[in-house]
């Protein structure tokens, strides 16, 4: 006959159940606290990632996007990234990009890889630095890739400006030495020209000076005047070289840019007379293009631009010189129909000692000097060219009301 269950036995079973339920409740409470802590950590991590201004994405080893930060949605609005590959979203193509930083990171056994890409946002080209790094699981095996996209366009522009400033500082040091060497022969030329001018005055008072043709005396006197005038201008250029980049604005005066163009062409008349007529066409502003500047320096700029254009067109092309007043700006354009400038060297034209001319025909300081002069005048100078189709040098200066 079965033994009847006693009260002590019943109480013992309930006690065991009660202890089990208490353990379950405690475990559930610990799990809830752990989940709250994990959620808080997840939110903290997500807040940190969302605070990063660079676009960030976590991808699988098959280039599929798993998660992104807020910067991604700001740069790529209305794009659902989950489940799509990076090359589909960033490049709109079905295969990984050439030189992909993600591929390089996976092939480089965990090495952080960077690659500069040119991307278009809202019709504007931007320079984007893509950085990829592998993420690993608890066993050290790679299982994810983190990708960062950083817009470095502004930094690259600042770097270019810094390098240009460094080049200008270098040319300033070298210019000082060159100026001293030029000054000695220039002084001799100027001295002999002045002596010849005095001899011309004495020759005019000679009793038998009628034997000399009057037109010869007039032409010879004009040539001497030009020589002296250009010697004085060269002396001014030498002084500018000695104080390269430290011009005194108080020495500036109001200059009509049209007059500077005419004076420049008059100086080039001997050379232009050997070329076909009409090689230079003038389109000068009816409204006087007044600027506050140094006439000698501005003539130096126009001479350099016109001489470069003459070299480009050789004997079979045309040069157009434009001046215009647009609002508070004065524009000067020198356009030629020459052989043009290759795209890869356009950004080097204003570098000191860079030249496309053969050895012995140029040392590459003309355009860099023009750049410095225009900058000191508060203006800008730029170039636009299509190879084999000519070039256009544009100078912009502040307009000055007389």
């Amino acid at each position: 006959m079965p033994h009847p269950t006693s009260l002590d036995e019943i109480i013992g079973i309930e006690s065991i159940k009660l202890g089990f339920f208490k353990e379950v409740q405690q475990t559930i409470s610990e799990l809830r606290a752990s989940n709250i802590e994990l959620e808080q950590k997840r939110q903290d991590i997500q807040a940190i990632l969302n605070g990063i201004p660079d676009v960030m994405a976590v991808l699988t080893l098959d280039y599929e996007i798993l998660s992104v930060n807020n910067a991604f949605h700001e740069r790529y609005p209305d794009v659902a990234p989950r489940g799509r590959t990076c090359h589909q979203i960033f490049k709109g193509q079905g295969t990984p990009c050439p030189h992909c930083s993600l591929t390089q990171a996976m092939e480089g056994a965990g090495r952080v890889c960077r690659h500069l890409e040119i991307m278009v946002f809202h019709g504007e080209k931007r320079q984007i630095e893509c950085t990829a790094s592998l993420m690993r699981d608890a066993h050290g095996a790679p299982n994810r890739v983190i990708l960062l996209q950083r817009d470095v366009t502004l930094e690259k522009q600042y770097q270019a400006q810094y390098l240009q400033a460094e080049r200008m500082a270098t040319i300033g040091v070298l210019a000082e030495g060159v100026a001293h060497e030029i000054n000695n022969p220039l002084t001799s030329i100027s001295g002999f020209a002045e002596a010849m001018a005095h001899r011309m005055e004495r020759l005019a008072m000679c009793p038998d000076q009628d034997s000399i043709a009057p037109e010869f005396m007039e032409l010879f006197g004009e040539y001497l005047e030009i020589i002296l005038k250009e010697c004085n201008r060269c002396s001014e250029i030498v002084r500018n070289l000695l104080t390269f980049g430290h011009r005194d604005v108080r020495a500036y005066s109001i200059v009509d840019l049209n007059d500077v163009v005419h004076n420049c062409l008059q100086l080039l008349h001997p050379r232009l007379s050997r070329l076909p007529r009409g090689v230079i066409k003038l389109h000068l502003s009816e409204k006087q293009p007044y600027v506050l500047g140094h006439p000698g320096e501005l003539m130096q700029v126009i001479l350099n631009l016109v001489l470069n254009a003459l070299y480009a067109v050789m004997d079979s092309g045309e040069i157009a010189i434009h001046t215009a007043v647009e609002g508070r700006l004065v524009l000067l354009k020198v356009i030629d129909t020459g052989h043009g400038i290759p795209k890869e060297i356009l950004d080097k034209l204003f570098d000191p000692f860079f030249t496309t001319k053969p050895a012995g025909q140029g040392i590459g300081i003309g355009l860099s000097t023009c750049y410095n002069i225009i900058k000191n005048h508060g203006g800008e100078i730029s170039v636009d060219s299509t190879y084999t189709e000519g070039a256009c040098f544009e100078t912009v200066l502040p307009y000055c009301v007389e």
Side-chain angles (χ1 to χ4, degrees), residues 13-30:
I13 293 173
E14 293 301 323
S15 177
I16 292 172
K17 289 181 178 180
L18 184 60
F20 175 75
F21 288 143
K22 286 182 178 180
E23 289 181 5
V24 171
Q25 287 177 343
Q26 184 177 357
T27 302
I28 291 173
S29 298
E30 291 176 353

Side-chain angles (χ1 to χ4, degrees), residues 73-284:
H73 296 293
E74 292 174 2
R75 182 170 295 176
Y76 303 96
D78 304 324
V79 173
R82 291 181 183 274
R84 300 175 64 185
T85 61
C86 57
H87 41 267
Q88 287 176 335
I89 291 178
F90 301 144
K91 292 289 187 174
Q93 57 190 32
T95 56
C97 309
H99 311 294
C100 176
S101 54
L102 274 74
T103 304
Q104 293 174 2
M106 289 186 285
E107 293 176 351
R111 179 170 53 92
V112 176
C113 296
R114 292 181 175 86
H115 181 66
L116 192 64
E117 287 278 348
I118 304 297
M119 296 185 178
V120 179
F121 299 109
H122 308 294
E124 181 183 359
K125 289 185 178 180
R126 310 292 294 179
Q127 298 186 62
I128 306 298
E129 183 183 68
C130 299
T131 304
S133 177
L134 286 181
M135 301 172 63
R136 300 179 181 276
D137 59 18
H139 304 288
N143 63 344
R144 298 285 189 274
V145 181
I146 186 169
L147 173 68
L148 290 173
Q149 285 188 351
R150 185 183 180 195
D151 191 337
V152 295
T153 306
L154 192 59
E155 293 180 16
K156 295 296 182 181
Q157 292 174 351
Y158 285 151
Q159 288 176 6
Q161 293 175 5
Y162 173 77
L163 290 175
Q164 186 66 29
E166 287 291 305
R167 295 187 186 107
M168 290 299 106
T170 301
I171 187 63
V173 173
L174 296 174
E176 186 175 352
V178 173
H180 282 297
E181 294 300 322
I182 294 175
N183 215 25
N184 293 330
L186 189 61
T187 302
S188 300
I189 295 172
S190 179
F192 281 113
E194 289 179 0
M196 291 179 67
H198 290 313
R199 296 296 189 277
M200 286 288 296
E201 293 176 1
R202 294 179 60 183
L203 183 62
M205 294 184 294
C206 289
D208 55 348
Q209 59 90 21
D210 293 336
S211 59
I212 303 175
E215 61 271 14
F216 172 79
M217 293 287 291
E218 182 180 354
L219 189 62
F220 199 74
E222 182 181 345
Y223 285 170
L224 280 176
E225 184 181 351
I226 291 175
I227 291 172
L228 288 171
K229 180 180 177 181
E230 291 308 305
C231 281
N232 291 332
R233 193 172 67 84
C234 287
S235 297
E236 183 66 30
I237 292 172
V238 169
R239 283 194 292 271
N240 293 345
L241 288 174
L242 290 173
T243 56
F244 195 83
H246 302 281
R247 291 291 302 153
D248 186 0
V249 177
R250 291 172 296 179
Y252 288 178
S253 60
I254 297 177
V255 180
D256 186 339
L257 211 58
N258 287 347
D259 291 341
V260 180
V261 172
H262 285 300
N263 293 337
C264 173
L265 296 182
Q266 183 180 3
L267 184 63
L268 292 174
H269 176 71
R271 177 167 180 173
L272 296 177
S273 63
R274 299 193 297 267
L275 299 176
R277 295 193 62 178
V279 66
I280 292 185
K281 300 185 181 299
L282 297 180
H283 305 275
L284 303 183

